[in-house]
């Protein structure tokens, strides 16, 4: 694979142009062009020679939209192809205030949560900051957005991968996606979701990047959490809560807990009461979601009625909580589901050809 030009910040591009003996303003032209979702070969303001030199060293289009699936509720799901042929997925959800794009930070995932399709085949590789950014740039351009009037207004790092397990690239992405002169999405409109890598949560608090912090909790009890999230063997809930409090102190941002309701695992009345007790008085919000059932995993969701009952217990105790409506369920809305489906198809195709031989 060649290098990725979208990994560069404006000041890094300025250094590169200087090294190449080009005028400094070329860097701003390149940055702006890329942020409009252009390929390197489409940067037409540049001289032919400079463009050719860039094309020689950098990927022309690091992230291509290979397929788009449109749900009946307007949600769009994308399969992105990376320059090395790997595939990641993303979603665009439409709301009254704008559009939220969900991006992936890794191909696959190491965390191996019991309910999640992203970790089915482990981690393949980290995405670079430019590859994460290019997912946003590609969708913004595809939906007719410009830098002045963005089609993508909000970003959530909730696709495949654990963003804090790919820390440096994720931070690089956050700096470039929020940078002046680019697509310039405010940190307040960005949410980073983590399974709770405590030391990295502290590090993020120091970055001066006040993104919304979301933690996948999924249980109020360490022992039960370990059963569905192996990462719980490394970090205790108590330490996650301390890291969240520190994040709040540093950024002033209220934090959010994700809680996917899994039948017979974490969705009883007892869990709701313990969760309410655990989070009482903290500046946080709880996002409940009914499990999106994954074919390869033997876990099932609770009914809508049971989910509302769980929500009711949290609300009664004074917690701020919502039950997220399931969107895009008809197109494989949950993390990694679409990629997993695609991998199955490829495997099926391969076994078909084997049979033919
Ligand atoms: N690795 C990060 C971000 C990715 S997932 C994290 O763990 O937070 C975004 C959210 O979807 C997480 O809360 C994750 O636990 C949840 N999730 C994954 N698979 C799911 C499924 N099948 N049903 C419901 N929620 C799921």
């Amino acid at each position: 694979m060649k290098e990725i030009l979208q990994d560069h910040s404006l000041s890094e591009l300025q250094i590169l142009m200087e090294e190449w003996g080009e005028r400094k303003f070329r860097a701003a032209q390149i940055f702006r062009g890329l942020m409009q979702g252009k390929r390197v070969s489409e940067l037409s303001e540049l001289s032919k020679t400079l463009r050719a030199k860039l094309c020689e060293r950098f990927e022309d289009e690091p992230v291509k939209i290979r397929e788009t699936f449109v749900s009946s509720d307007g949600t769009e799901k994308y399969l992105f192809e990376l320059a090395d042929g790997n595939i990641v997925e993303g979603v665009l959800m439409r709301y009254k205030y704008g559009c939220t794009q969900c991006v992936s930070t890794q191909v696959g995932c190491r965390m191996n949560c019991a309910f999640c399709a992203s970790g089915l085949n482990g981690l393949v590789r980290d995405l670079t900051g430019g590859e994460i950014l290019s997912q946003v740039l590609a969708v913004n351009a595809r939906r007719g957005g410009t830098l002045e009037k963005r089609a993508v207004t909000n970003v959530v790092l909730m696709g495949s991968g654990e963003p804090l397990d790919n820390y440096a690239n994720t931070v690089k992405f956050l700096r470039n996606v929020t940078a002046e002169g680019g697509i310039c999405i405010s940190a307040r409109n960005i949410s980073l979701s983590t399974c709770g890598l405590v030391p990295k949560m502290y590090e993020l608090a120091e970055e001066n990047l006040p993104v919304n912090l979301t933690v996948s909790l999924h249980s109020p009890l360490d022992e039960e959490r370990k059963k569905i999230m192996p990462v719980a063997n490394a970090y205790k809930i108590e330490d996650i809560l301390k890291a969240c409090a520190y994040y709040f102190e540093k950024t002033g941002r209220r934090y959010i807990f994700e809680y996917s309701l899994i039948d017979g695992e974490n969705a009883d009345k007892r869990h709701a009461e313990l969760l309410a007790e655990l989070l009482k008085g903290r500046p946080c919000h709880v996002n409940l979601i009914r499990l999106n059932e994954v074919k390869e995993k033997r876990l099932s969701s609770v009914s809508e009625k049971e989910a509302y009952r769980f929500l009711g217990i949290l609300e009664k105790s004074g917690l701020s909580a919502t039950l997220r409506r399931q969107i895009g369920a008809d197109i494989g809305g949950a993390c990694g589901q679409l990629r997993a489906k695609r991998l199955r198809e490829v495997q099926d195709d391969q076994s078909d050809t084997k049979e033919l031989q």
Side-chain angles (χ1 to χ4, degrees):
M1 231 169 82
K2 295 183 189 175
E3 288 175 57
I4 288 169
L5 194 54
Q6 289 81 350
D7 280 339
H8 292 67
S9 64
L10 181 56
S11 53
E12 286 165 347
L13 286 173
Q14 282 166 348
I15 293 169
L16 183 72
M17 288 304 105
E18 219 167 285
E19 277 170 16
W20 285 8
E22 294 283 343
R23 310 267 297 278
K24 205 173 166 185
F25 72 90
R26 292 290 180 207
Q29 280 181 332
I30 296 172
F31 193 68
R32 201 179 150 75
L34 293 177
M35 290 287 185
Q36 289 166 325
K38 289 185 182 173
R39 297 178 185 202
V40 178
S41 59
E42 285 172 350
L43 298 171
S44 51
E45 301 102 318
L46 309 180
S47 69
K48 261 191 177 161
T49 347
L50 177 55
R51 226 182 316 152
K53 207 167 160 186
L54 286 168
C55 284
E56 203 172 296
R57 176 155 156 196
F58 298 101
E59 286 297 341
D60 189 32
E61 194 183 19
V63 172
K64 288 190 185 74
I65 299 180
R66 273 298 295 270
E67 276 182 78
T68 306
F69 302 82
V70 183
S71 163
S72 50
D73 61 20
T75 302
E76 291 191 358
K77 184 120 194 183
Y78 308 97
L79 272 184
F80 298 111
E81 185 179 332
L82 309 178
D84 62 0
N86 269 307
I87 294 216
V88 291
E89 57 197 274
V91 189
L92 189 74
M93 295 157 283
R94 299 210 229 160
Y95 297 101
K96 273 184 227 109
Y97 56 79
C99 285
T100 298
Q101 185 179 348
C102 173
V103 296
S104 291
T105 53
Q106 295 176 316
V107 183
C109 184
R110 286 205 292 161
M111 299 299 144
N112 200 20
C113 295
F115 44 81
C116 180
S118 299
L120 281 171
N121 298 300
L123 175 67
V124 178
R125 74 165 172 90
D126 288 336
L127 297 196
T128 74
E131 286 175 321
I132 307 172
L133 178 63
S134 295
Q135 296 168 51
V136 179
L137 303 180
V139 170
N140 190 55
R142 164 68 66 94
R143 301 227 20 108
T146 59
L147 298 187
E148 289 70 33
K149 199 171 182 316
R150 293 178 296 260
V152 177
T153 54
N154 298 61
V155 173
V156 294
L157 284 77
M158 293 191 187
S160 67
E162 166 51 48
L164 298 187
D165 186 39
N166 182 17
Y167 188 83
N169 290 327
T170 293
V171 167
K172 190 160 216 182
F173 158 70
L174 292 174
R175 295 217 186 281
N176 280 342
V177 80
T178 53
E180 295 278 336
I183 192 163
C184 201
I185 297 178
S186 154
R188 293 178 164 265
N189 292 341
I190 301 177
S191 297
L192 183 150
S193 183
T194 175
C195 60
L197 301 184
V198 170
K200 296 292 175 191
M201 291 166 69
Y202 282 101
E203 223 175 306
L204 186 68
E206 307 293 346
E207 296 284 356
N208 200 18
L209 271 170
V211 296
N212 303 300
L213 181 66
T214 297
V215 179
S216 302
L217 198 59
H218 305 322
S219 177
L221 297 165
D222 282 316
E223 287 314 309
E224 295 190 17
R225 192 167 184 261
K226 284 177 192 170
K227 283 197 225 150
I228 46 175
M229 300 180 74
V231 67
N233 289 297
Y235 305 109
K236 290 202 291 260
I237 293 172
E238 190 192 329
D239 294 330
I240 291 178
L241 295 182
K242 280 188 193 148
C244 287
Y246 186 75
Y247 195 82
F248 179 73
E249 194 187 306
K250 278 277 166 181
T251 63
R253 310 293 294 151
R254 189 172 76 142
Y255 40 91
I256 293 173
F257 293 106
E258 293 279 313
Y259 200 105
S260 301
L261 295 162
I262 312 170
D263 192 33
E265 297 287 336
N266 66 357
D268 296 346
K269 183 166 172 264
R270 167 181 74 101
H271 292 108
E273 287 165 355
L274 287 169
L275 185 65
E277 188 57 39
L278 184 71
L279 301 182
K280 214 172 181 173
R282 295 178 190 270
C284 68
H285 178 82
V286 180
N287 244 333
L288 298 175
I289 179 171
R290 284 166 59 209
L291 183 79
N292 238 312
E293 290 171 14
V294 172
K295 199 182 153 198
E296 290 80 353
K297 309 271 187 186
R298 277 192 204 94
L299 292 172
S300 44
S301 174
V302 296
S303 68
E304 200 169 345
K305 201 171 151 199
E306 285 166 314
Y308 276 111
R309 197 178 302 143
F310 198 99
L311 176 67
I313 297 172
L314 300 187
E315 282 176 334
K316 218 173 117 197
S317 75
L319 267 193
S320 155
T322 39
L323 175 63
R324 221 173 345 137
R325 68 197 166 98
Q326 268 175 322
I327 48 180
D330 53 337
I331 50 168
C335 321
Q337 276 189 3
L338 209 61
R339 174 170 172 270
K341 182 166 170 281
R342 164 50 55 98
L343 290 177
R344 274 200 304 271
E345 284 164 7
V346 171
Q347 275 157 10
D348 287 351
D349 282 355
Q350 283 166 353
S351 48
D352 283 354
T353 19
K354 262 189 215 126
E355 274 166 27
L356 287 173
Q357 279 163 359

